[in-house]
Amino acid sequence: MEATIITIMALLFLSFVALGVFVTVKVAKAAKRGVDRTLDQARRTVEDTTLRAKSLGQTGAAGELARLRLSLRTSMRATQEALQAGVGEDASLKESLDLFHRLSAHGLELDADLKRLEREPDRAWVAGQLPELAARTERITGSADALRRAARDRALKFAEDDLSTLSAQIDVEAGALRHWTGPEATPGTAQAAGTGAGAGAQDAATAGWGQPAGPAGQAGPRAAGEQSAITAPDPRRTAYPWEKSARPETTT
């Protein structure tokens, strides 16, 4: 019996140790990924700032190379962020994101070529390569911009359609709320209005202000304790002006 208890306690201890090691490894990996993301973001910021300074402060092949790299990186990053943000709400953008990943391979290759040419000492030869490099950059950034704008237009179209549908539903609901019914709006009351019975309906409408209809259809206070022997008091009538009757939920 004691050996069984010791074995169980040992197994529990080993389980807790293994769980602690697992959690520690997961936390360490998550922290490492966070540090890597921070370092990557800082490195990209430094590179973009350097390229922007070169494109503005240098002339000739060096300035043109910096401008091409900055244009490529800006377009590709904006498209990637737009597609990744939209694919969670629109599953059809997954195919667009796959196409962008294929385009990114060409973009990374071009960025590496431009970066190598920045260290090329033969500036005359580099200047001769600029037209072809500019054309490649234009093709890649044009495709990336097309994907990003199409995704943006699609999101705007869906938002506009949803807003139109919502506005139509609100208009219907608003019309239903305004089309209320009550004792004074029944067809019998409307017909009686032409024969002189409208005064009784008006008395019924004003009775909610604590003025129950008197004899012969004329408004006036009843005597204390006086009740109709035939018709019971209308439960819809309120005793005070601030006590409003409930609005009907259905219309006829």
Side-chain angles (χ1 to χ4, degrees):
M1 185 65 181
E2 295 180 356
T4 303
I5 296 176
I6 293 174
T7 302
I8 294 175
M9 295 296 293
L11 291 176
L12 290 175
F13 176 76
L14 292 176
S15 299
F16 283 120
V17 171
L19 180 61
V21 172
F22 176 76
V23 172
T24 302
V25 171
K26 295 290 288 185
V27 171
K29 289 183 177 180
K32 184 178 182 299
R33 287 194 299 268
V35 172
D36 292 340
R37 284 195 299 267
T38 302
L39 292 177
D40 291 341
Q41 180 65 30
R43 185 177 65 253
R44 286 195 298 267
T45 302
V46 172
E47 290 180 354
D48 290 346
T49 303
T50 303
L51 290 175
R52 189 172 292 107
K54 288 182 179 180
S55 64
L56 296 176
Q58 296 183 0
T59 59
E64 183 64 15
L65 289 173
R67 188 189 67 80
L68 292 177
R69 287 192 66 196
L70 184 62
S71 174
L72 176 66
R73 293 162 65 90
T74 302
S75 176
M76 298 296 284
R77 185 178 299 120
T79 303
Q80 182 181 18
E81 292 175 353
L83 293 178
Q84 288 180 345
V87 74
E89 300 177 356
D90 188 358
S92 62
L93 291 180
K94 185 178 183 301
E95 184 177 356
S96 300
L97 190 59
D98 294 338
L99 292 175
F100 174 77
H101 289 159
R102 295 173 56 187
L103 183 65
S104 295
H106 295 276
L108 292 173
E109 182 180 358
L110 175 59
D111 185 68
D113 292 341
L114 294 172
K115 191 173 184 179
R116 281 193 299 266
L117 290 177
E118 289 178 346
R119 299 186 296 269
E120 175 62 40
D122 190 352
R123 292 303 175 183
W125 182 82
V126 173
Q129 301 297 316
L130 286 178
E132 188 271 336
L133 294 172
R136 286 176 61 188
T137 304
E138 182 64 26
R139 290 181 60 185
I140 294 176
T141 56
S143 298
D145 294 343
L147 281 176
R148 184 178 68 255
R149 291 164 184 166
R152 181 192 60 187
D153 293 342
R154 180 180 177 86
L156 290 177
K157 177 61 177 176
F158 283 168
E160 181 180 355
D161 292 344
D162 183 68
L163 180 59
S164 299
T165 303
L166 180 60
S167 298
Q169 293 175 351
I170 290 176
D171 291 341
V172 172
E173 180 66 16
L177 291 174
R178 292 191 180 95
H179 187 224
W180 57 81
T181 58
E184 68 277 5
T186 59
T189 304
Q191 294 178 358
T195 60
Q202 182 178 3
D203 294 339
T206 59
W209 290 88
Q211 298 292 336
Q218 296 180 356
R222 293 179 180 269
E226 182 181 358
Q227 297 290 341
S228 173
I230 299 176
T231 305
D234 191 348
R236 292 172 298 178
R237 297 179 180 177
T238 56
Y240 303 99
W242 54 85
E243 295 181 356
K244 299 181 180 179
S245 59
R247 298 179 181 178
E249 296 183 358
T250 58
T251 58
T252 56

